[in-house]
Amino acid sequence: QDQQEDLGQEIPKKRLRDAPNYFVSIPITDDQILDRIEDVQELIFTKEPDLLRALLPVQTMHLTIILAHLGTEDEVQKAVLALKQSKAKVEAILQGKDLNMTFHGIGQFNNQVIYVKMSEEDQNTLSKIAEAVEECFNEMDLDISGSKDFKPHLTFLKLSKVPRLKRRGFRKICLDLYKEYEDCYFGTEVFNQIDLCAMRKKKQESGYYHCECSIYVGSRGAKESQEQ
């Protein structure tokens, strides 16, 4: 749903019961990246206090791989299995190396969604990883029809979160609000975890989404295997 909204698409009401209620994502936990995002959010809020509720909490920062509609507990368990099965494929793509994801610069969709961009060269490997995960979900015959093409981006502000702003004629976010950070280096996250998260369940105490299952890959995956 976030991703469809990110791309400025309205979600038809009658399809809401089939709308995605789970998503597979890569959590972003690097302090430098999160601190920088908070700096930008603070700057925007200082210049335009009305946008406070349009800001997304940094504790929820993630890259969405796929959106899924899981209607039953059985389907949730199938999705958990699909994610676990994707681990071997992901490891094969990484070939024992860590993947560094570099975040640099700010982009926008329709001036309504503002996000941190991920550097192009890191996206190729990540796209292959997204495809591998998607294959595993398709093999389990799960409904991931709500997913869009994988375009890694870190959304930190969404106008759609505050519908009343639109009603008051506030339809776009002006570049001047974040110009200072438009070409700023945000930091580098080492990719080592993929989560299956629920959209509608209560968030964790940390502020991150409710997680049904996580897999660890790269150097962290190797460490987990040794400990086990």
Side-chain angles (χ1 to χ4, degrees):
Q1 192 167 347
D2 275 5
Q3 207 168 358
Q4 281 179 302
E5 279 181 8
D6 278 2
L7 301 168
Q9 292 158 333
E10 290 293 317
I11 295 161
K13 282 283 180 283
K14 73 174 175 53
R15 274 198 37 246
L16 216 54
R17 58 174 186 187
D18 303 328
N21 55 350
Y22 282 81
F23 60 97
V24 177
S25 64
I26 298 167
I28 301 298
T29 56
D30 178 79
D31 284 338
Q32 183 184 352
I33 297 172
L34 300 182
D35 287 348
R36 275 277 155 82
I37 291 175
E38 279 193 323
D39 290 345
V40 185
Q41 290 182 328
E42 208 165 295
L43 177 72
I44 291 171
F45 168 64
T46 308
K47 293 181 179 182
E48 191 55 82
D50 277 351
L51 288 172
L52 177 64
R53 291 180 57 200
L55 300 171
L56 277 69
V58 292
Q59 300 87 323
T60 63
M61 288 298 136
H62 64 276
L63 298 173
T64 305
I65 297 180
I66 42 182
L67 298 170
H69 172 74
L70 308 174
T72 62
E73 193 47 45
D74 190 38
E75 285 181 351
V76 174
Q77 290 316 310
K78 272 184 166 179
V80 166
L81 195 56
L83 184 59
K84 287 180 174 170
Q85 287 177 349
S86 72
K87 182 179 159 94
K89 290 186 180 189
V90 174
E91 294 286 18
I93 294 165
L94 291 172
Q95 295 179 332
K97 297 188 194 72
D98 271 333
L99 170 65
N100 293 321
M101 305 183 295
T102 304
F103 292 92
H104 191 127
I106 292 179
Q108 48 80 21
F109 296 128
N110 303 333
N111 290 315
Q112 296 185 359
V113 172
I114 314 295
Y115 60 88
V116 181
K117 295 194 272 199
M118 186 174 149
S119 78
E120 295 283 333
E121 55 267 31
D122 305 333
Q123 288 189 26
N124 298 339
T125 310
L126 213 52
S127 293
K128 287 181 192 152
I129 287 167
E131 268 168 44
V133 176
E134 207 166 307
E135 269 170 27
C136 292
F137 272 68
N138 281 326
E139 281 162 16
M140 286 285 183
D141 207 23
L142 293 162
D143 176 8
I144 56 170
S145 57
S147 300
K148 290 274 161 279
D149 291 341
F150 179 60
K151 293 190 184 76
H153 62 278
L154 279 186
T155 301
F156 64 84
L157 190 156
K158 271 202 324 213
L159 263 189
S160 61
K161 279 192 77 194
V162 199
R164 65 186 172 81
L165 285 182
K166 218 171 181 176
R167 291 196 292 274
R168 281 170 38 198
F170 201 121
R171 292 184 184 281
K172 46 170 50 169
I173 294 151
C174 183
L175 169 64
D176 290 348
L177 292 178
Y178 55 88
K179 204 169 175 51
E180 294 89 320
Y181 288 93
E182 196 188 3
D183 198 31
C184 158
Y185 168 72
F186 279 77
T188 300
E189 172 93 21
V190 180
F191 163 62
N192 56 30
Q193 182 176 343
I194 306 178
D195 298 327
L196 171 65
C197 297
M199 288 182 191
R200 299 181 193 149
K201 291 189 179 175
K202 190 174 186 286
K203 288 193 170 80
Q204 300 175 35
E205 275 188 15
S206 65
Y208 191 62
Y209 295 93
H210 172 90
C211 245
E212 297 289 346
C213 167
S214 299
I215 58 168
Y216 301 102
V217 293
S219 55
R220 186 169 171 191
K223 198 173 125 193
E224 294 269 318
S225 305
Q226 277 171 353
E227 283 168 6
Q228 279 166 13

